[in-house]
Amino acid sequence: MTINEIQDNIIDEFSEFEDWMDKYQLIIDLGNSLAPIDEKYKVPQYLIEGCQSRVWLQAEYENGLVIFKAESDAVIVKGIVSLLIQVLSGHTPDEIINTDLYFIEQIGLKEHLSPTRSNGLVSMVKQMRLYALAFKAKA
């Protein structure tokens, strides 16, 4: 699936709910389904700067694709990073760097986050793009 197809699926999934409490529950469920990362990555080197909660993000480059794994100590944040992984993981560095993450606006996520969580979201996206940029430069 392309990044845009995945984003469209997420938009469809979120559009099934009118109430933001239901949407938050969906985000929490997504976070709960995220596989935990290896303890060796739960060190400061993998922490994302700018997040109110602790978020560890790890990336690998396999067969020309970037594979992300992450974990957070906050359920909503874990769900948000799970969404980002769902959209960006398994794609090429160029796709990750150049994509417009329109699903964030379309599902109303940005407007329903506190300013600190919104900053954290921006930091997560920035870090994922930095990993993609680094892998592109290495290749």
Side-chain angles (χ1 to χ4, degrees):
M1 273 185 139
T2 68
I3 287 176
N4 286 351
E5 287 171 339
I6 296 166
Q7 291 190 88
D8 292 342
N9 284 347
I10 291 170
I11 292 164
D12 288 346
E13 190 175 4
F14 274 80
S15 71
E16 292 175 21
F17 302 102
E18 300 265 331
D19 184 13
W20 254 93
M21 292 315 289
D22 294 330
K23 292 181 184 190
Y24 282 129
Q25 189 57 54
L26 178 57
I27 292 169
I28 290 167
D29 291 345
L30 288 167
N32 288 335
S33 69
L34 191 64
I37 63 171
D38 193 305
E39 288 297 315
K40 70 181 178 186
Y41 297 115
K42 287 186 169 183
V43 294
Q45 172 187 348
Y46 294 95
L47 269 175
I48 295 180
E49 297 289 321
C51 286
Q52 179 182 6
S53 308
R54 294 189 308 166
V55 181
W56 297 272
L57 179 69
Q58 185 255 332
E60 294 171 7
Y61 192 56
E62 298 172 7
N63 303 318
L65 304 176
V66 183
I67 309 300
F68 293 106
K69 294 180 181 159
E71 195 166 327
S72 176
D73 58 1
V75 290
I76 295 277
V77 177
K78 194 172 176 182
I80 293 167
V81 78
S82 172
L83 280 169
L84 291 172
I85 288 172
Q86 190 178 335
V87 171
L88 297 175
S89 191
H91 294 279
T92 66
D94 276 334
E95 288 173 318
I96 294 165
I97 293 163
N98 296 318
T99 195
D100 170 27
L101 294 174
Y102 58 84
F103 83 96
I104 295 168
E105 292 285 333
Q106 295 224 359
I107 65 173
L109 185 59
K110 208 164 191 167
E111 68 192 58
H112 285 89
L113 292 178
S114 66
T116 51
R117 283 227 171 97
S118 204
N119 289 343
L121 172 61
V122 170
S123 295
M124 286 184 255
V125 171
K126 181 179 172 187
Q127 186 60 49
M128 292 172 110
R129 287 193 166 135
L130 284 172
Y131 271 123
L133 205 55
F135 289 131
K136 180 180 176 172
K138 267 186 174 177

